[in-house]
Amino acid sequence: MRLPFLTPLLLCLALLTGTAHALPPELSDAVLSQYRIDSWQAEQGLPVSAVQTLHQTRDGTLWVGTGSGLARFDGIGFTLVQPEKVPALGRRPIFGLLEDREGRLWVGHAGGAARLREGVWEPAIDPALLNGRRVWAFAQAPDGSVWGATEGGLVHWQGQQITVYRGTDGLPGERLRTLVFDREGVLWIGSTGAGLFRLRPGQAQFEPVAGFPHTEVRHLLADPEGGVWAATPGAGLVRVHANGSLQRYGVAQGLPTDQLTYLVRDTEGALWIGTWGAGVSRWRDGRFSSVNSASGLGGDQIWTVYADREGSLWAGSWNGGLNRLRKRGFPVVGKPEGLAADNVRAVLQARDGTLWVSTAGGGVNRILGDRMQTLGLREGLATLEMSALYEDQDGAIWLGSYTAGLARWQNGRIERFGTAQGLPHVDVRSLLRDREGRLWVGTRSGLARQQGRGFVAVDEPGAPKEGVVAMLEDRQGRLWFATTGDGLVRYENGRFSTLTRQDGLPSNWILALHEDADGTLWIGTNGEGISRLRDGQIRTVRPGDGLWDGLTQVFIADDQDRLWMSCNRGFYWVARRELNDFLDGRLARVQTTGYGVGEALRSPTFSGGLQPVAARDPKGRIWLPSLKGLVQVDPRRLPQLGSPPAVRIESISLGGQAVPLETELLLPPDSVPPLTLRYAAATVQHAERVRFRYRMEGMTPDWIEVGGSREVSFPALPHGQYRFHLASSLDGQHWLESAQLAVTVQPRLHERRGVQVLAALAALLAVIGLYQWRTRQLRLRQTEMERLVAAKTEELRRANEHLAELSFSDALTGLANRRRFDERLQQEWRRCARQGQSLALVLADIDAFKAYNDSLGHAAGDTALREVAEVIRHTSGRASDCAARYGGEEFVLLLPGLDLDAARTLAERLRAACEARALPHPASPAAAVVTLSLGVAACVPDASADPMSLFTAADAALYRAKQGGRNRVG
């Protein structure tokens, strides 16, 4: 038999042992295995584990009626409702919930009814009218009035008027349980003891339904085609057509029991049925399917079922808490669908269309169309702990294991290989036959190569000794081996070489390899990101760069040039173009899309550390092995998160005390901080995904992201006007602002404008009086101070002039010192550069001055320095010239406006004047008197050049003068 619902899962699976068989018909129930079941008990914050009624209001809140009060659920936590005016809501059983068209929430409880209107709770009826009996259900009529089914009769709320119908008014029975309006406006009423009856529009007579098979009706649901469906506690499911004809469904038609409790229709039109003792059933396409405690439901005694607007189905049970069934974002094939075991380790798409699946603990499954075979111990496997898969050139399938080496399957026969056949270890992780025909086997203890009918360990220099978990042969024929500690090993021209962290890899633990269409090698690491090897360069993208996770267990490309990767919290994809743009510096951050717990995966942990851990079928679908089944991903039909949900402010507190929830908050000046705002989003399904950000206009100009936090506090707000803005997002990129709150903090007495103006005037008058008194005092002192200041100022001026002279002149010669020369050089260089004038520099050195000192003494040397300085001072007579002692026996002249010839002429005049002084020099090799050697340089300065270049040129000229025999100009 073929199962239509499993067509997208390769027409899915049945658990078979030995030879292949068709899928058995009882696996039709497996459709519900594609729903994820989440449960909440008292341990998760539920007031009690008995959930009796549910309703989602238009703001997204899920209201939960329990056996001990009413609670709100926002997808994260429960909040017990405890209003002062209706204390019964916080402690008594809740049975019925309805949000009417005006947005009022009606609550039926064990002692009557209550109503939430515009944020205020109020009793909906005097309990005395019902003798304190419970209210089970509500229904709103086409005219907007509300009807209630109670154990004390039928209640009709019409405006301010309340009417109670009892047996004396023609009601067939007063113990009512359920009621509903059909599409024609007929009011159907189910009772305890009086069966089913109805009230037609415009009539006052209640009409029993003839032939109804049971005296009790637990719940009624309007039929879109007319009439109603009825759940009974013994007669099963009854369909009552508008013409009064009945159609009954029970155990014989596929229901697990005739004890039914509640009915609801989901967004796709399927009918869901709560049962007492058999869980939840679904009626779709003329067939019943069920889910119960054996398949993960919290309990089998179901009080209520409810379908929310986001596509989830909720079930409240007697002692199993609150349960949610939601479709998985991605189909999964596991043990419930027929696999031999849930822990899938590897998957291989063979050339003949067969999908091979290895499992830990269940052997290997072969799936082809709607048929499946399990290969286990009976078929010749040495173990059920299977790992790697590989299809050989002749169609044979190599089956690796964790505990028993390798097996080869072909045409139904299995041949086994272990350490006795040369494998270095029984734990096999990867296989590859290269283009030269060599079969390589990666094990936990290095490599092996096939040789004849067995294998030999590869122990050549450079061969990996750690586990080899992935292999790849690139277009150039090079072999690449991913290891669990040895880095990335390359085999080329018969030699092994290794790339490690020292070569730029982020980790030596490599898990995945992929060569793309451009010949680029992509490298997946154990937590350190993805590396790209191109043209001998290794570059890496990490989680901090936008990568969804640092662990990369596999690469597999889709037909949209995206790379898919798996990790231990789900799987994700990134466009190859984005990776390249980031790694080439054209993009600041990559954008990746991940799928994890939010997609209702059975497990977010995916297989890794072996090969292959992904497969792509002929339809372009990707198969990923996980800890709980084989996940199917269709890249062309990915689940969409939709728009960000609306947000709402749920409560306000000030200093820990609740504040009424209004659109504008007015805080008195003596308010006790902090101001705390609690908020939620209008989604239960994606509650864990929602991220929030806020902005307090007037205090925080920018948005502040707070992640999943649903509370924000402001320790202190200065007086003034503010506006609180709140926004939500499901992906951190698209945001929706849908809640605002105006906040006004009133000023204290001293902060009020009028008081501040009066205080300012008083202070001003006081300041004026003080100023006038102080002015008189200051005038008396001013004259004396002015006299003293004038005297001291003159003394200071003279001292400063003296200090300036000392700081810029040479104490021995009276010429400018080096500091002054350096300053003038910078100034004149800039000035001449601006004006385009020449600047010349003459550097003079007393010939053999050391010998002069040695022969005549230092006193004579100082005299000679002063004589030479006098000659220089008289020779450089222009106001713009600067003559300085540069150091020791060296002197320098800065000559603005002179070119090189003019400067050399002046230097020659200076040399002759010094020689004419005829100061005896008994030790000079140049002459019998003190002489000078001079270097001259000149240029038109460039503002961008270094002024010292001119000095360097003069120094070089001086050197040439000395080399030429001294007492000359160079």
Side-chain angles (χ1 to χ4, degrees):
M1 178 179 178
R2 296 177 184 268
L3 301 181
F5 76 91
L6 289 178
T7 298
L9 300 177
L10 289 178
L11 299 174
C12 212
L13 317 170
L15 177 60
L16 303 171
T17 304
T19 58
H21 298 279
L23 295 173
E26 61 268 18
L27 278 180
S28 60
D29 285 353
V31 64
L32 290 183
S33 68
Q34 296 307 310
Y35 283 77
R36 174 189 171 106
I37 300 177
D38 301 301
S39 297
W40 291 266
Q41 304 275 0
E43 294 80 4
Q44 286 78 43
L46 195 64
V48 293
S49 293
V51 176
Q52 299 171 161
T53 184
L54 297 160
H55 190 84
Q56 186 180 33
T57 47
R58 62 192 64 175
D59 65 359
T61 300
L62 185 69
W63 295 87
V64 183
T66 76
S68 184
L70 179 66
R72 291 198 318 264
F73 183 54
D74 61 3
I76 300 295
F78 298 88
T79 303
L80 187 64
V81 175
Q82 295 177 306
E84 294 182 5
K85 291 186 178 180
V86 193
L89 295 183
R91 62 175 183 268
R92 304 194 71 174
I94 307 297
F95 298 104
L97 292 167
L98 169 74
E99 184 183 29
D100 64 21
R101 290 190 285 275
E102 289 72 36
R104 298 172 298 184
L105 180 65
W106 297 74
V107 183
H109 56 80
R115 187 168 50 205
L116 177 63
R117 179 164 53 184
E118 296 179 352
V120 179
W121 287 100
E122 61 184 9
I125 192 171
D126 185 352
L129 290 175
L130 301 176
N131 297 319
R133 308 296 293 274
R134 68 183 61 175
V135 176
W136 278 102
F138 303 93
Q140 189 169 23
D143 63 4
S145 62
V146 176
W147 296 74
T150 82
E151 288 194 342
L154 179 66
V155 182
H156 186 200
W157 287 271
Q158 197 168 21
Q160 299 298 318
Q161 183 180 353
I162 302 176
T163 304
V164 181
Y165 296 88
R166 306 186 192 278
T168 56
D169 303 302
L171 198 65
E174 292 187 359
R175 295 182 61 197
L176 309 183
R177 183 68 178 262
T178 179
L179 73 172
V180 71
F181 284 92
D182 68 12
R183 69 177 190 177
E184 305 297 334
V186 177
L187 176 62
W188 297 79
I189 305 165
S191 72
T192 300
L196 177 66
F197 45 94
R198 59 189 169 187
L199 180 63
R200 298 182 186 273
Q203 294 187 2
Q205 186 70 31
F206 296 96
E207 177 186 339
V209 176
F212 193 78
H214 207 282
T215 60
E216 295 187 20
V217 181
R218 289 288 183 257
H219 193 249
L220 292 170
L221 180 68
D223 191 329
E225 299 178 8
V228 295
W229 293 80
T232 72
L237 178 65
V238 182
R239 185 177 186 181
V240 185
H241 296 276
N243 62 7
S245 62
L246 306 177
Q247 191 174 358
R248 181 173 174 271
Y249 304 85
V251 173
Q253 287 73 38
L255 276 172
T257 178
D258 288 332
Q259 298 288 331
L260 309 185
T261 57
Y262 213 89
L263 304 170
V264 72
R265 197 175 299 276
D266 66 19
T267 54
E268 297 177 353
L271 181 66
W272 294 81
I273 306 151
T275 77
W276 197 259
V280 177
S281 294
R282 186 180 70 175
W283 167 262
R284 192 180 75 173
D285 301 328
R287 177 181 296 166
F288 289 102
S289 52
S290 301
V291 61
N292 51 39
S293 59
S295 48
L297 205 62
D300 291 325
Q301 289 77 27
I302 304 300
W303 269 102
T304 183
V305 287
Y306 182 79
D308 69 18
R309 294 190 298 272
E310 298 178 282
S312 295
L313 190 284
W314 299 81
S317 67
W318 178 38
N319 56 11
L322 178 64
N323 300 266
R324 177 177 63 188
L325 284 76
R326 54 175 171 151
K327 285 186 178 179
R328 301 187 186 281
F330 299 92
V332 58
V333 182
K335 198 166 184 179
E337 291 77 25
L339 278 188
D342 266 333
N343 190 353
V344 181
R345 305 311 301 158
V347 58
L348 171 70
Q349 181 70 54
R351 292 188 292 273
D352 65 358
T354 302
L355 193 70
W356 291 79
V357 183
S358 71
T359 69
V364 176
N365 288 110
R366 298 177 60 223
I367 308 168
L368 182 61
D370 60 350
R371 301 177 70 83
M372 181 179 67
Q373 180 185 22
T374 299
L375 302 181
L377 301 178
R378 191 173 68 181
E379 287 69 41
L381 292 180
T383 179
L384 297 180
E385 301 293 332
M386 303 305 293
S387 57
L389 298 167
Y390 184 73
E391 183 178 19
D392 216 334
Q393 297 167 348
D394 59 359
I397 304 297
W398 291 90
L399 311 172
S401 75
Y402 287 104
T403 58
L406 189 60
R408 183 178 183 271
W409 179 94
Q410 189 170 33
N411 300 325
R413 294 182 63 253
I414 291 179
E415 183 180 5
R416 301 198 304 235
F417 303 86
T419 53
Q421 285 74 38
L423 290 177
H425 201 283
V426 294
D427 188 347
V428 175
R429 299 301 183 94
S430 57
L431 298 106
L432 176 71
R433 188 177 294 278
D434 63 24
R435 62 186 62 177
E436 296 182 11
R438 297 170 296 196
L439 180 66
W440 300 78
V441 181
T443 76
R444 189 175 178 181
S445 296
L447 275 174
R449 260 194 309 252
Q450 189 178 26
Q451 181 173 296
R453 300 292 299 172
F455 294 87
V456 293
V458 178
D459 55 3
E460 301 162 24
K465 305 302 180 186
E466 293 276 353
V468 178
V469 296
M471 305 184 197
L472 181 143
E473 183 175 22
D474 67 19
R475 297 176 186 178
Q476 301 178 38
R478 295 174 298 191
L479 298 179
W480 299 88
F481 303 98
T483 76
T484 58
D486 282 343
L488 180 61
V489 179
R490 176 174 52 204
Y491 184 72
E492 185 176 15
N493 299 325
R495 299 182 64 184
F496 288 96
S497 58
T498 304
L499 297 175
T500 65
R501 293 174 65 97
Q502 294 181 348
D503 302 294
L505 284 175
S507 171
N508 289 339
W509 193 331
I510 311 299
L511 291 176
L513 299 171
H514 173 73
E515 185 182 25
D516 66 18
D518 300 329
T520 298
L521 183 65
W522 296 93
I523 305 161
T525 70
N526 187 27
E528 298 297 332
I530 297 171
S531 294
R532 183 189 72 182
L533 177 57
R534 177 194 284 176
D535 299 329
Q537 277 193 330
I538 297 175
R539 295 181 179 176
T540 301
V541 56
R542 303 173 186 270
D545 304 316
L547 210 58
W548 195 67
D549 197 274
L551 175 64
T552 303
Q553 299 180 142
V554 69
F555 294 104
I556 189 163
D558 64 17
D559 55 10
Q560 300 177 55
D561 202 21
R562 297 180 295 192
L563 291 179
W564 291 79
M565 288 72 69
S566 68
C567 58
N568 283 335
R569 65 186 188 101
F571 55 93
Y572 59 102
W573 64 264
V574 59
R576 186 169 65 96
R577 173 183 52 80
E578 284 219 5
L579 286 174
N580 282 320
D581 285 349
F582 171 80
L583 294 172
D584 292 336
R586 296 187 296 270
L587 195 65
R589 186 176 178 84
V590 297
Q591 181 176 337
T592 56
T593 301
Y595 305 94
V597 176
E599 279 63 45
L601 298 172
R602 286 182 185 167
S603 171
T605 302
F606 283 75
S607 178
L610 70 162
Q611 195 178 28
V613 287
R616 184 176 168 187
D617 67 20
K619 295 182 179 180
R621 298 171 300 189
I622 294 171
W623 297 84
L624 298 171
S626 79
L627 188 63
K628 291 189 176 180
L630 184 63
V631 176
Q632 182 205 82
V633 180
D634 190 341
R636 295 160 297 184
R637 296 178 179 84
L638 297 174
Q640 301 298 317
L641 290 175
S643 301
V647 291
R648 64 184 181 275
I649 298 173
E650 292 220 305
S651 67
I652 305 173
S653 65
L654 191 62
Q657 300 298 315
V659 176
L661 192 59
E662 305 286 351
T663 57
E664 184 173 354
L665 182 62
L666 184 64
L667 301 180
D670 56 348
S671 301
V672 179
L675 171 65
T676 301
L677 306 177
R678 296 179 180 85
Y679 42 83
T683 178
V684 178
Q685 179 173 341
H686 299 303
E688 295 180 351
R689 280 185 177 272
V690 178
R691 295 295 177 263
F692 298 94
R693 69 181 185 183
Y694 73 87
R695 179 169 62 92
M696 182 64 89
E697 187 178 333
M699 182 179 183
T700 56
D702 298 323
W703 287 98
I704 298 175
E705 295 191 21
V706 293
S709 174
R710 295 177 176 235
E711 178 180 298
V712 61
S713 292
F714 298 94
L717 285 176
H719 71 90
Q721 293 184 331
Y722 306 89
R723 183 169 291 275
F724 178 74
H725 301 261
L726 183 64
S728 66
S729 174
L730 292 175
D731 57 8
Q733 300 176 34
H734 303 91
W735 292 87
L736 173 66
E737 179 187 343
S738 53
Q740 293 186 10
L741 175 67
V743 180
T744 300
V745 181
Q746 295 178 322
R748 294 180 174 86
L749 179 63
H750 65 276
E751 295 172 332
R752 294 178 182 175
R753 185 62 177 269
V755 174
Q756 291 177 338
V757 170
L758 290 175
L761 287 174
L764 180 60
L765 292 174
V767 168
I768 291 173
L770 180 63
Y771 173 77
Q772 291 176 342
W773 176 81
R774 183 62 176 165
T775 300
R776 286 194 298 269
Q777 297 296 317
L778 291 175
R779 284 174 180 169
L780 297 176
R781 297 184 59 187
Q782 182 175 0
T783 303
E784 179 63 18
M785 290 296 297
E786 288 177 350
R787 185 186 64 78
L788 292 175
V789 167
K792 294 295 183 180
T793 300
E794 179 61 21
E795 293 178 8
L796 182 60
R797 184 186 63 80
R798 294 174 181 174
N800 284 338
E801 288 180 354
H802 182 64
L803 286 175
E805 292 176 359
L806 292 177
S807 64
F808 287 115
S809 63
D810 180 60
L812 178 65
T813 64
L815 297 178
N817 59 14
R818 180 172 178 173
R819 175 185 172 191
R820 178 57 176 166
F821 168 77
D822 290 341
E823 184 180 279
R824 283 292 303 277
L825 177 60
Q826 295 285 340
Q827 293 171 353
E828 293 299 333
W829 183 272
R830 290 193 298 268
R831 187 180 65 80
C832 291
R834 287 195 305 270
Q835 297 177 359
Q837 290 185 347
S838 177
L839 179 64
L841 189 146
V842 177
L843 187 61
D845 185 81
I846 300 175
D847 293 328
F849 186 71
K850 183 178 183 302
Y852 187 91
N853 272 338
D854 291 343
S855 61
L856 299 178
H858 286 285
D862 289 347
T863 299
L865 288 172
R866 284 192 289 269
E867 289 289 337
V868 171
E870 186 64 23
V871 171
I872 293 173
R873 184 180 294 109
H874 283 90
T875 303
S876 60
R878 297 185 309 162
S880 60
D881 295 346
C882 176
R885 181 185 178 193
Y886 196 75
E889 68 273 22
E890 280 190 324
F891 297 87
V892 63
L893 279 82
L894 192 62
L895 306 170
L898 296 188
D899 58 14
L900 182 62
D901 291 339
R904 288 179 62 86
T905 300
L906 186 145
E908 178 57 34
R909 193 166 65 248
L910 176 59
R911 184 202 65 76
C914 182
E915 187 176 19
R917 281 270 177 164
L919 296 175
H921 190 335
S924 174
V929 296
V930 172
T931 59
L932 292 177
S933 293
L934 300 101
V936 182
C939 69
V940 177
D942 181 352
S944 63
D946 185 2
M948 287 303 295
S949 61
L950 183 62
F951 183 91
T952 302
D955 188 54
L958 174 61
Y959 178 78
R960 290 193 296 273
K962 288 185 177 182
Q963 290 294 105
R966 292 187 175 87
N967 191 22
R968 65 191 63 222
V969 176

